[in-house]
Amino acid sequence: MGRFLATNVSLILRGFPRHYCVGQASKTNLSQLRKRTGVPLKNCRAALQKCHNNLEEAEKWLKEQAQKEGWARADKLQSRPMSQGLLGLIQSRTGATMIEVNCETDFVTRNEKFQYLVYRLTLACHNNLEKDASKKVLQHEAVNTLPSENKMLSDIVAQEVGTIGENMRLRRAVFLPDSNGHILSSYVHNSDKKVAINGCHLGRFGTILSVGKTSGTENEDSLKELTKDRGVTRSMASVFSTRKQKKPNFHLSTQFINKSLKFGHRNFCTSSLKYNQKLTHIDRNGKAKMVDVGNKEETVRTAVACATIFLGDKAFSLVEANKSKKGDVLIVAQLAGIMAAKRTSELIPLCHNIGLSKVSVDLSLQKDTKSVYIECMSKTVGKTGVEMEAITGASMSAIAVYDMCKAVDKEMVISNIRLLSKKGGKSGDYMFVLK
């Protein structure tokens, strides 16, 4: 009898709908909240339980928490370098607005959440800047104080930092009005596929070009075509980077073509060539050459370079547990980096063949970004530096990680390959400094 009662009670409890139980989150609301916010199911379930299955209140609570956590995480991550990002560009009847949003990795730039964030920020800047007909350029502090959705743009960025989990910032914005007698054209270049959200074009670098007639009676269609061509040409001549410059990182120029067209353009690029510096591997005739280091003194030279490969959840869990079918991923990658550093001169045509006294490769797992961070140190006593050996070692180590894990995930991304420091030689010491 006791067994019969216990069985029936169990069946009754098992058949009782979960959404009628106090403190439980219904599957329907849980699924909808997950789609709306994109936050993990664990957080969605906690929000629904806290708000008694009220979907609207749970979504509001999650956004508030994301913003609070975002500010805290933004403060924690603010020292981490941001070498990647996207431009957002919107053009309307009033003018064109272009902004730059930075992030840490190329992996995040392909994230739909980050792309939608760039769209929201571009639209907000455009709505604010088009109210003033004058040309505007806003740097970091000014653009982040612009209002949108009853909050500042800095709050919107902080909220997404809490959601995405990577350092990000809205760096700057520019607005060029569409005035009478001028033709406005804009162009954004993408490194991979074209990305556009509701008329907002996203890419690596772009141009806003304004053309006005100063004399003559040029055809309007020909002017539009010329403006478009010039905008594309200027964009393709730009390089996207986030290295801070002493001068503004976009260019405003005025040019005359056939003494009849006046050009003004805004061009976002963050690196510039110093034409007074000469490339040592090019001779007077523009041909490649190997630098003669015979007259240099032998000194102790060291260099440290780094690279990062972003694995994704599945591949990272296998590497962390050392359960890859090919063997120990980190050990194999370490050996690959050391071997590559020793054979750098065979891989890079104009690199000197030098004797290395030491090569070390260190790999560490980064749980927060599901990535492997790699550092390679090379050392020699010689007449030329070992920067390329360090960079080659770090790069090949990352490639080896990819090879070991490609059966699990082919969307892994190798990024942030750079020289961290060098010592010795005539040019002196160098240390990478985040600016």
Side-chain angles (χ1 to χ4, degrees), residues 129-142:
L129 297 177
E130 68 177 354
K131 297 176 183 178
D132 190 346
S134 62
K135 299 176 182 178
K136 276 193 173 181
V137 178
L138 298 181
Q139 296 298 336
H140 176 69
E141 294 183 0

Side-chain angles (χ1 to χ4, degrees), residues 109-167:
T109 62
R110 296 193 296 273
N111 186 302
E112 292 183 357
K113 293 180 184 178
F114 181 75
Q115 292 175 356
Y116 188 72
L117 169 66
V118 177
Y119 159 70
R120 290 171 59 196
L121 296 174
T122 307
L123 183 61
C125 290
H126 185 68
N127 292 337
N128 280 278
L129 297 177
E130 68 177 354
K131 297 176 183 178
D132 190 346
S134 62
K135 299 176 182 178
K136 276 193 173 181
V137 178
L138 298 181
Q139 296 298 336
H140 176 69
E141 294 183 0
V143 70
N144 277 275
T145 58
L146 293 177
S148 177
E149 304 172 10
N150 298 322
K151 61 182 72 172
M152 294 190 299
L153 297 188
S154 57
D155 295 329
I156 297 177
V157 175
Q159 182 174 321
E160 292 303 321
V161 170
T163 303
I164 297 177
E166 186 169 295
N167 194 15

Side-chain angles (χ1 to χ4, degrees), residues 341-360:
K342 294 192 294 182
R343 307 190 69 172
T344 301
S345 61
E346 299 177 26
L347 302 174
I348 302 177
L350 301 178
C351 190
H352 292 85
N353 184 7
I354 60 177
L356 293 172
S357 58
K358 181 180 180 181
V359 178
S360 65

Side-chain angles (χ1 to χ4, degrees), residues 82-247:
M82 292 173 286
S83 59
Q84 301 294 327
L86 284 176
L87 299 178
L89 194 151
I90 289 180
Q91 183 176 348
S92 66
R93 294 181 179 179
T94 58
T97 299
M98 184 162 52
I99 72 167
E100 178 183 346
V101 184
N102 301 131
C103 61
E104 294 180 40
T105 63
D106 182 65
F107 182 77
V108 168
T109 62
R110 296 193 296 273
N111 186 302
E112 292 183 357
K113 293 180 184 178
F114 181 75
Q115 292 175 356
Y116 188 72
L117 169 66
V118 177
Y119 159 70
R120 290 171 59 196
L121 296 174
T122 307
L123 183 61
C125 290
H126 185 68
N127 292 337
N128 280 278
L129 297 177
E130 68 177 354
K131 297 176 183 178
D132 190 346
S134 62
K135 299 176 182 178
K136 276 193 173 181
V137 178
L138 298 181
Q139 296 298 336
H140 176 69
E141 294 183 0
V143 70
N144 277 275
T145 58
L146 293 177
S148 177
E149 304 172 10
N150 298 322
K151 61 182 72 172
M152 294 190 299
L153 297 188
S154 57
D155 295 329
I156 297 177
V157 175
Q159 182 174 321
E160 292 303 321
V161 170
T163 303
I164 297 177
E166 186 169 295
N167 194 15
M168 296 180 294
R169 68 172 175 178
L170 171 58
R171 184 177 183 183
R172 54 193 170 153
V174 63
F175 175 76
L176 197 63
D178 191 357
S179 56
N180 294 331
H182 286 72
I183 296 175
L184 195 63
S185 179
S186 59
Y187 176 79
V188 171
H189 178 73
N190 303 82
S191 59
D192 40 25
K193 63 180 181 179
K194 184 177 181 180
V195 180
I197 304 175
N198 297 332
C200 176
H201 296 271
L202 310 179
R204 294 292 182 174
F205 46 88
T207 296
I208 304 175
L209 187 65
S210 178
V211 177
K213 292 193 295 184
T214 57
S215 64
T217 57
E218 288 79 7
N219 183 276
E220 185 172 339
D221 292 336
S222 63
L223 285 180
K224 289 182 179 179
E225 190 66 26
L226 180 59
T227 306
K228 181 179 178 180
D229 292 341
R230 294 285 293 180
V232 173
T233 303
R234 291 194 172 279
S235 288
M236 296 304 293
S238 306
V239 180
F240 181 85
S241 170
T242 55
R243 187 179 291 269
K244 187 176 180 182
Q245 305 289 328
K246 295 181 180 179
K247 297 181 179 180

Side-chain angles (χ1 to χ4, degrees), residues 277-292 350:
Q277 293 183 350
K278 296 181 179 179
L279 297 175
T280 57
H281 290 75
I282 304 296
D283 63 16
R284 293 181 179 179
N285 298 321
K287 296 181 179 180
K289 68 172 184 178
M290 189 172 183
V291 178
D292 185 359
L350 301 178

Side-chain angles (χ1 to χ4, degrees), residues 9-55:
V9 169
S10 175
L11 290 174
I12 292 171
L13 291 177
R14 194 177 301 169
F16 198 80
R18 290 190 66 185
H19 60 272
Y20 287 114
C21 299
V22 178
Q24 293 291 341
S26 70
K27 291 183 178 180
T28 303
N29 286 352
L30 188 62
S31 177
Q32 290 183 7
L33 188 60
R34 165 70 172 169
K35 290 180 180 179
R36 288 187 184 183
T37 61
V39 302
L41 286 173
K42 179 181 178 181
N43 296 350
C44 291
R45 186 177 291 110
L48 288 171
Q49 291 176 356
K50 181 178 180 65
C51 300
H52 305 288
N53 281 318
N54 187 307
L55 186 61

Side-chain angles (χ1 to χ4, degrees), residues 393-416:
S395 303
M396 187 53 67
S397 182
I399 293 173
V401 173
Y402 187 99
D403 179 63
M404 296 285 285
C405 301
K406 66 180 185 294
V408 177
D409 188 352
K410 292 180 173 58
E411 295 186 355
M412 294 176 289
V413 176
I414 298 174
S415 182
N416 297 337

